[in-house]
Amino acid sequence: MNVERFKPYLPFVLFAIIILSAVFAVEKINGRFWLNDFKVYYSAAEALLKGRQVYGVSFGLDTGFYKYAPFVAMLFVPYTFFSYEVASIIHFAILSAATILTIIILGRLVSKYFLSIKTKTENILMSFALLCILLHLVRELHLGNINMLLLLLASAGLILSLQSKNILSGIFIGLAIIIKPYFLILVLPFIASGRWRVIISISVTIIVSLFVPMLFFGYTQNILLHKEWIESMREHSSYLSSTHTIQSLLQYYLGLETGKWFQYFLIAATGAGYFLFFFLMKKRQEKHSSQPFFFVSGYFCLLAIVPNLVITDTEHFLLSLPLVMILLRYIYEKKNYLLTSAFIVLIFFYEGTSTDLLGKNLAQRFEEAGLLGISNLLIIASVLILNFFWWKNPSLPSNSLKGEPPAQAPFRGKG
């Protein structure tokens, strides 16, 4: 990694370190430095090492069941060389570093393929991006979850693909998929654009991860562990609920009663909708598949919609960070008070389920109404609308996925 590339972002790094250090201090002072999700990962890795039950056992909280692949538990084994208290601090530091690195990577990506701005302004917008996700990030750090690490893997995988480093790209994205299988949705942009080398690399990475535990625990135990993993994923939705999925929103606002099959229908419809939009845009402009703009934003739209499709925790809405950063650049470029006000309201509802901000009763009403889920869908819709106006502007150049950034800022067109 070239450290020199990150020197211009030192102001943002310092700002982020101050914010994240404050979160750490408050958690410690209030006696809330628990990292319950991390405790599950740590305990599962420890159980795996000692030959104890890994799946179907609650580690800590009532919902503290390990539900990830055996290979993922192996990735957490190095933590077990330390006491849980020390490992928790190390994990918090790693999550904080991943957050800072992810925002910088996304900032560079947005600057290259969407809108290039001065470094000073870029530091400011990165700092605003951190504030836009702060409440979700605080919960992420409080639980010790790994969504920011997954977003880092997904973002790095995308950039490596744009640089035609297909094997590395597939490894990063494949790791994200084996950790959380619903990241499989990310293969759709590569299928649509015919980037088969990345898909092959993803497939090989997943296959290898399934066989690695066999080298340490034997064939029979490996098969048993994977059967238990599959069963744990099936049971996952039975002890979790979400008011922010499309399915729950349809039920709340329209009274539409649906079965479990409807979730799979929505996932399939999302995939079909992506391909429809992709080829619609391709028809509107020649050589669409070589355009980086829709490839990048479409990739991140698919990532962002995941917590609207499956039942999961609210901190998974951190996956919308790339879209938030795209919208921030657009708002900065337009300098329109109405658009800025609309963005602020949107971010308020995106983050506004905090009892500290709203009080318990109002926060509960926000939660029941699924306003976080609605705001996330609006963020996705906003970026898709920007895609439409990007392609509508015929003066913009056609660049390859691994080529140079646009000669002019794409947001300077209509829209």
Side-chain angles (χ1 to χ4, degrees):
M1 182 182 295
N2 190 344
V3 180
E4 294 294 324
R5 292 183 178 181
F6 295 93
K7 279 188 176 180
Y9 308 112
L10 185 59
F12 162 71
V13 172
L14 294 176
F15 174 77
I17 289 175
I18 292 171
I19 294 293
L20 296 169
S21 298
V23 173
F24 176 81
V26 170
E27 291 281 283
K28 275 291 190 180
I29 292 170
N30 291 338
R32 289 173 52 83
F33 192 72
W34 301 331
L35 279 71
N36 286 319
D37 283 357
F38 174 65
K39 188 174 184 179
V40 174
Y41 311 142
Y42 180 92
S43 300
E46 199 172 44
L48 189 67
L49 274 180
K50 296 180 179 179
R52 299 201 300 259
Q53 185 71 23
V54 176
Y55 298 98
V57 179
S58 178
F59 297 109
L61 299 178
D62 293 339
T63 58
F65 296 97
Y66 182 74
K67 53 187 180 292
Y68 303 104
F71 176 76
V72 178
M74 294 179 64
L75 297 179
F76 283 89
V77 165
Y79 280 120
T80 64
F81 299 155
F82 306 92
S83 67
Y84 177 71
E85 291 72 20
V86 173
S88 296
I89 295 173
I90 294 173
H91 188 63
F92 188 98
I94 290 174
L95 292 180
S96 299
T99 299
I100 294 172
L101 184 58
T102 300
I103 293 178
I104 291 175
I105 287 175
L106 291 173
R108 289 174 58 86
L109 187 148
V110 174
S111 181
K112 181 173 183 178
Y113 293 106
F114 293 86
L115 177 65
S116 182
I117 56 178
K118 295 180 179 179
T119 302
K120 181 179 179 180
T121 305
E122 195 161 19
N123 277 284
I124 294 172
L125 292 183
M126 286 180 178
S127 300
F128 273 117
L130 177 61
L131 295 177
C132 285
I133 63 164
L134 187 57
L135 292 183
H136 293 305
L137 182 60
V138 168
R139 177 171 170 78
E140 169 92 346
L141 294 170
H142 172 68
L143 293 172
N145 212 320
I146 54 174
N147 292 294
M148 289 307 300
L149 286 170
L150 290 170
L151 182 55
L152 177 59
L153 288 174
S155 302
L158 174 63
I159 290 178
L160 288 167
S161 172
L162 294 170
Q163 297 172 347
S164 293
K165 297 176 181 178
N166 298 314
I167 295 177
L168 278 176
S169 172
I171 291 173
F172 277 82
I173 297 172
L175 285 173
I177 291 171
I178 198 65
I179 295 172
K180 298 219 171 163
Y182 48 64
F183 274 56
L184 267 171
I185 200 171
L186 296 181
V187 304
L188 297 184
F190 299 104
I191 293 174
S193 57
R195 299 178 73 81
W196 303 111
R197 290 183 180 179
V198 176
I199 295 173
I200 292 172
S201 179
I202 290 172
S203 303
V204 171
T205 300
I206 293 173
I207 292 170
V208 169
S209 72
L210 296 176
F211 283 98
V212 165
M214 185 175 65
L215 301 177
F216 298 90
F217 308 109
Y219 174 80
T220 303
Q221 184 65 13
N222 187 44
I223 294 296
L224 178 62
L225 284 169
H226 281 89
K227 285 182 177 179
E228 292 177 344
W229 169 45
I230 294 171
E231 184 61 29
S232 72
M233 288 193 293
R234 287 176 179 171
E235 295 177 353
H236 177 58
S237 59
S238 65
Y239 56 86
L240 284 181
S241 61
S242 173
T243 59
H244 306 295
T245 62
I246 296 173
Q247 189 171 3
S248 64
L249 292 172
L250 290 173
Q251 182 175 347
Y252 182 84
Y253 288 101
L254 301 179
L256 183 61
E257 295 289 342
T258 56
K260 191 173 182 179
W261 62 270
F262 193 70
Q263 182 184 65
Y264 301 115
F265 168 77
L266 287 173
I267 294 172
T270 299
Y274 174 84
F275 281 108
L276 178 64
F277 198 62
F278 184 97
F279 290 110
L280 176 63
M281 296 299 101
K282 183 177 181 179
K283 187 176 180 181
R284 291 176 62 88
Q285 180 167 331
E286 292 182 1
K287 299 181 181 179
H288 165 71
S289 60
S290 66
Q291 285 279 359
F293 184 93
F294 181 69
F295 182 82
V296 173
S297 57
Y299 179 91
F300 285 130
C301 281
L302 288 172
L303 184 61
I305 203 172
V306 164
N308 286 118
L309 295 175
V310 299
I311 297 175
T312 188
D313 300 314
T314 56
E315 63 269 18
H316 287 71
F317 286 93
L318 283 168
L319 299 177
S320 295
L321 171 61
L323 303 188
V324 170
M325 294 185 69
I326 291 173
L327 293 178
L328 267 173
R329 292 293 180 99
Y330 180 71
I331 294 299
Y332 169 77
E333 169 66 14
K334 284 297 182 180
K335 294 181 173 60
N336 181 292
Y337 290 114
L338 183 60
L339 289 175
T340 302
S341 300
F343 177 77
I344 292 172
V345 171
L346 190 58
I347 293 300
F348 173 78
F349 287 114
Y350 170 72
E351 286 205 279
T353 54
S354 169
T355 55
D356 295 328
L357 288 179
L358 304 174
K360 186 176 180 179
N361 292 334
L362 188 55
Q364 183 62 32
R365 290 182 182 179
F366 274 37
E367 181 72 18
E368 290 173 357
L371 294 181
L372 168 57
I374 293 173
S375 64
N376 194 63
L377 290 172
L378 289 174
I379 288 172
I380 296 169
S382 299
V383 173
L384 290 176
I385 290 170
L386 292 182
N387 272 277
F388 176 79
F389 287 111
W390 158 261
W391 295 117
K392 190 175 180 179
N393 189 341
S395 64
L396 298 175
S398 174
N399 303 305
S400 67
L401 288 175
K402 58 185 178 181
E404 296 301 318
Q408 66 182 90
F411 291 142
R412 296 185 187 277
K414 293 182 180 180

